[in-house]
């Protein structure tokens, strides 16, 4: 369930960031790039949460 909520929030945050940045540049909103950013954000959170940060707590 935690993976679902992480991906859900990554989609929302990347949608807002993409919309604001494309509006400032005067370009059209691109949904595909928004999902790519959401997937990259989710992967970063998953890797940090499951691997890197948990190993740091054990020391």
């Amino acid at each position: 369930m935690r993976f679902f909520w992480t991906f859900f929030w990554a989609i929302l945050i990347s949608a807002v960031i993409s919309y604001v940045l494309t509006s400032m540049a005067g370009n059209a909103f691109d949904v595909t790039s928004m999902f790519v950013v959401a997937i990259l954000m989710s992967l970063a959170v998953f890797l940090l949460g499951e691997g890197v940060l948990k190993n740091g707590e054990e020391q």
Side-chain angles (χ1 to χ4, degrees):
M1 193 66 175
R2 63 185 170 172
F3 295 122
F4 170 75
W5 288 113
T6 303
F7 188 64
F8 175 77
W9 281 107
I11 288 175
L12 289 179
I13 292 170
S14 64
V16 169
I17 291 171
S18 295
Y19 178 75
V20 169
L21 291 178
T22 55
S23 294
M24 288 172 53
N27 297 333
F29 180 69
D30 186 20
V31 177
T32 338
S33 64
M34 186 229 15
F35 277 115
V36 169
V37 171
I39 291 170
L40 292 175
M41 285 174 54
S42 297
L43 286 175
V45 169
F46 295 155
L47 290 175
L48 285 174
E50 295 296 321
V52 176
L53 295 179
K54 282 193 176 181
N55 290 337
E57 292 175 358
E58 295 173 359
Q59 295 177 351

